[in-house]
């Protein structure tokens, strides 16, 4: 079974910065945030600033600064 008919997931403009704000404010990484981070990691068209934000978020998650819900 192939999934070639399913279009690739894309982030909305400003989604990375919104994720940063939401996660920082709440201190929690929700399921939607995890999905957004996964899509962002697979996106080849991100700007350098967005990649830096994602890397900073992932490092903070690994260090336990945010609770995963």
């Amino acid at each position: 079974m192939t999934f070639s008919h399913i279009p690739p997931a894309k982030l909305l403009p400003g989604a990375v910065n919104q994720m940063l704000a939401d996660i920082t404010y709440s201190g929690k990484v929700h399921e939607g945030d995890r999905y957004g981070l996964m899509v962002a990691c697979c996106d080849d068209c991100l700007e350098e600033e967005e990649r830096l934000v994602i890397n900073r978020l992932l490092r903070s998650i690994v260090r336990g600064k945010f609770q995963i819900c």
Side-chain angles (χ1 to χ4, degrees), residues 25-58:
Y25 177 75
S26 69
K28 299 178 181 179
V29 181
H30 296 280
E31 187 175 357
D33 300 320
R34 293 193 313 253
Y35 181 74
L37 286 169
M38 180 188 69
V39 170
C41 288
C42 297
D43 192 347
D44 294 334
C45 300
L46 288 179
E47 295 181 15
E48 183 64 23
E49 179 182 332
E50 293 174 319
R51 287 202 183 282
L52 292 173
V53 168
I54 291 167
N55 287 337
R56 187 170 59 196
L57 274 173
L58 291 174

Side-chain angles (χ1 to χ4, degrees), residues 51-68:
R51 287 202 183 282
L52 292 173
V53 168
I54 291 167
N55 287 337
R56 187 170 59 196
L57 274 173
L58 291 174
R59 279 193 304 273
S60 296
I61 291 168
V62 168
R63 291 180 178 159
K65 294 187 178 188
F66 300 115
Q67 179 184 5
I68 297 180

